[in-house]
Amino acid sequence: MEGAIFEAIKLAVTKIPDDVVESLQEAYKKEDNPVAKFNLENILKAVEIGKREQIPVCQDTGTVTFFVEAGIESPYLREIKEAIASALEKATKEIPLRPNSLDVVTNKNVGNLPIIHWELVNGDKIRVAILPKGGGSENCSALAMLTPAEGFEGVKRAVINRVKECGGKPCPPVIIGIGIGGSSNTALKLAKKALLRPVGERHKDKRVAKFEEELLEEINSLGIGPMGIGGRTTALDVKVEIAYRHPASFPAGIVFQCWAHRRAFLEISSNGDVRIWQ
Amino acid sequence: MAVKLRTPLNEKEVLKLKAGDLVYLSGVIYTARDLAHRKILEEGAPFDLRGAVIYHCGPIVQKESGRYRIVSAGPTTSARMNRHLEKILSMGIKGIIGKGGMNPEPFKEHRAVYFAFTGGAGSLAAKSVKRVLDVYWLEELGIPEAVWVLEVEDFPLIVGIDAFGNSLYSNPR
């Protein structure tokens, strides 16, 4: 199991998923600003080098974040936590990843410690989503505790303001995850999980899908562009996830992901078979 | 305009650059980010700052048969270092490489330039690094925060902020 998790981490940091690359190529075609073209050309070259040479596309291999859906009948429940930690340690040495876990008090760098979000589900499979999250984009995360009267319009305003404030810092063109509803922490968690959906895919609820599209269009009209130096594409996509809210609250979590959207999934069946994909 | 430059930079060369120019930089550059800036300001730099170019970068480095090799080395967000910018430029640094832009005023005041490379394109940036010449504060600060002395060749950069304070960024903070 450790070996499979290692392979999935390696896939995530060395190969940018096809849907993301396609949208980057699309952005390159649309651009006529020479500085924006310089950046997008570099991006596409870096993607190619990462894939060909099996090295991390971005040196910030991030805080390696795992979303685990653990089937309560899986025979591997006892092992999964340890397997994630040891696969990450091996990945840090062998791929290699950048050691990114610092002691808050002493600043000592201790390597890479995973952040794991657990969810118990029915069945006998374990599904793991891997999201290595770089610091530049993560620093742009925001939580807007809106009132119900502000509603979706309030969310839109909060997102646009945050995109403007952050400019080139999160490495645009970005992908923006938004979680609406739940409580403060669930809104942010949903926002991060929203990033796992493929670029170009719309929310299954048509009204939410429309909101995603409107927001994407408005963000791309801002002209911030690749790396914040101007251009047509500031965001590749906007993903919204929703949850039930308290009558008094309308929380919106906003999470940015850089263009180097690293992501991989694996599924461990009860017989030990493993499937890895992006 | 595309220009070839070699470190250390002198004021005459720096004053010729305009925001938006493409520069191919060769010579020696020094990585420095949050903690290295603090240490340089508190204890002084372990290298000659006059005309030097620093790189806001925390690379991935691998040690192979006793030698360090840069695996991936794109820029980090420069705005975090805005608070140290005035002091660091007053120490004689003539160029800063990073991403996302910085406060343009100190660049005008100290006649220095800000070069932009594409954030996230670490695998590509590593191709411009010929070798690791030295490293300072590795034990204490760890790989990403240490000062890596890198020899680069034709590192392709865009002048993001020139020595007259012209900036390509609309939001440097």
Side-chain angles (χ1 to χ4, degrees):
Chain A
M1 194 178 350
E2 182 196 306
I5 299 169
F6 171 87
E7 286 306 322
I9 296 171
K10 185 163 180 177
L11 181 67
V13 298
T14 60
K15 185 179 167 284
I16 303 299
D18 294 340
D19 52 304
V20 180
V21 178
E22 276 161 29
S23 69
L24 287 165
Q25 285 164 339
E26 201 63 29
Y28 178 75
K29 275 186 222 149
K30 270 194 256 174
E31 212 56 77
D32 40 27
N33 169 337
V35 180
K37 272 204 128 56
F38 167 84
N39 281 317
L40 286 165
E41 205 176 291
N42 283 348
I43 285 172
L44 293 169
K45 279 185 201 164
V47 167
E48 204 42 51
I49 295 168
K51 192 164 110 181
R52 193 176 62 228
E53 299 184 15
Q54 297 276 289
I55 57 172
V57 174
C58 178
Q59 77 293 336
D60 184 0
T61 43
T63 298
V64 190
T65 307
F66 297 81
F67 292 92
V68 183
E69 287 177 16
I72 52 177
E73 287 165 81
S74 166
Y76 300 106
L77 281 184
R78 272 174 210 279
E79 300 162 41
I80 184 74
K81 189 176 173 191
E82 194 46 51
I84 287 174
S86 56
L88 183 55
E89 199 181 325
K90 183 174 142 99
T92 303
K93 278 198 203 97
E94 294 180 17
I95 296 175
L97 306 181
R98 196 176 75 183
N100 271 346
S101 299
L102 268 68
D103 184 297
V104 168
V105 178
T106 63
N107 289 327
K108 183 148 182 66
N109 193 320
V110 297
N112 277 310
L113 302 176
I115 288 185
I116 311 177
H117 299 280
W118 298 97
E119 195 180 335
L120 284 176
V121 296
N122 288 327
D124 60 7
K125 292 185 171 76
I126 296 178
R127 272 214 185 116
V128 184
I130 304 175
L131 185 68
K133 195 70 182 52
S137 64
E138 187 68 2
N139 282 353
C140 292
S141 308
L143 175 70
M145 293 306 288
L146 301 162
T147 61
E150 291 171 294
F152 277 92
E153 270 312 303
V155 177
K156 199 183 268 186
R157 211 177 48 242
V159 174
I160 296 289
N161 284 344
R162 196 64 190 140
V163 170
K164 283 190 195 162
E165 269 166 23
C166 287
K169 289 195 271 193
C171 282
V174 291
I175 296 155
I176 298 174
I178 301 165
I180 306 174
S183 53
S184 55
N185 59 323
T186 45
L188 276 166
K189 187 175 165 188
L190 275 179
K192 200 163 274 185
K193 272 186 97 167
L195 297 172
L196 298 171
R197 280 166 49 204
V199 167
E201 183 206 82
R202 294 275 64 86
H203 196 277
K204 59 182 185 300
D205 182 318
K206 286 217 163 53
R207 293 159 299 182
V208 179
K210 188 163 170 275
F211 182 72
E212 291 175 336
E213 277 168 2
E214 285 171 8
L215 203 41
L216 179 61
E217 203 184 313
E218 201 167 329
I219 290 166
N220 283 332
S221 71
L222 297 174
I224 293 167
M227 294 302 136
I229 329 184
R232 293 184 202 279
T233 310
T234 303
L236 299 174
D237 210 351
V238 173
K239 302 285 179 203
V240 176
E241 289 295 319
I242 52 174
Y244 288 95
R245 65 173 179 85
H246 183 277
S249 310
F250 209 96
I254 306 164
V255 175
F256 287 67
Q257 176 67 312
C258 49
W259 67 260
H261 181 24
R262 277 92 22 108
R263 143 193 117 199
F265 303 91
L266 78 153
E267 185 179 78
I268 305 154
S269 299
S270 59
N271 62 4
D273 284 353
V274 178
R275 189 165 71 92
I276 297 174
W277 74 99
Q278 278 187 301
Chain B
M1 193 175 75
V3 202
K4 283 196 172 227
L5 281 182
R6 182 164 283 281
T7 64
L9 303 180
N10 64 50
E11 196 164 303
K12 208 173 134 201
E13 292 168 319
V14 165
L15 286 172
K16 280 187 197 157
L17 300 172
K18 297 266 176 301
D21 285 351
L22 175 63
V23 169
Y24 291 95
L25 186 72
S26 299
V28 179
I29 62 175
Y30 305 87
T31 70
R33 43 189 284 160
D34 313 61
L35 295 178
H37 273 70
R38 238 161 69 185
K39 255 180 101 68
I40 289 172
L41 294 177
E42 281 168 11
E43 302 169 19
F47 57 92
D48 189 357
L49 291 169
R50 287 167 301 171
V53 175
I54 58 170
Y55 184 17
H56 292 159
C57 168
I60 296 179
V61 186
Q62 201 166 32
K63 201 167 191 176
E64 279 168 353
S65 42
R67 284 196 159 172
Y68 292 112
R69 183 178 68 88
I70 297 293
V71 178
S72 193
T76 191
T77 312
S78 296
R80 292 198 314 275
M81 273 59 80
N82 264 337
R83 57 183 306 173
H84 304 308
L85 183 59
E86 174 64 43
K87 279 190 187 152
I88 210 101
L89 290 182
S90 71
M91 293 168 99
I93 285 170
K94 282 285 158 213
I96 292 177
I97 307 168
K99 73 166 172 89
M102 296 189 86
N103 180 9
E105 279 305 311
F107 286 94
K108 186 176 168 183
E109 195 188 324
H110 298 283
R111 300 189 162 185
V113 281
Y114 178 79
F115 299 108
F117 188 72
T118 313
S123 58
L124 177 64
K127 297 286 171 207
S128 296
V129 180
K130 292 302 132 190
R131 75 192 112 236
V132 176
L133 299 175
D134 207 346
V135 59
Y136 304 110
W137 303 331
L138 177 60
E139 191 57 37
E140 183 184 346
L141 301 184
I143 290 175
E145 299 278 349
V147 171
W148 294 92
V149 186
L150 308 177
E151 186 187 329
V152 294
E153 197 178 307
D154 290 333
F155 193 7
L157 307 167
I158 295 282
V159 176
I161 303 167
D162 63 29
F164 303 93
N166 300 307
S167 169
L168 298 181
Y169 300 89
S170 51
N171 184 354
R173 294 183 198 280

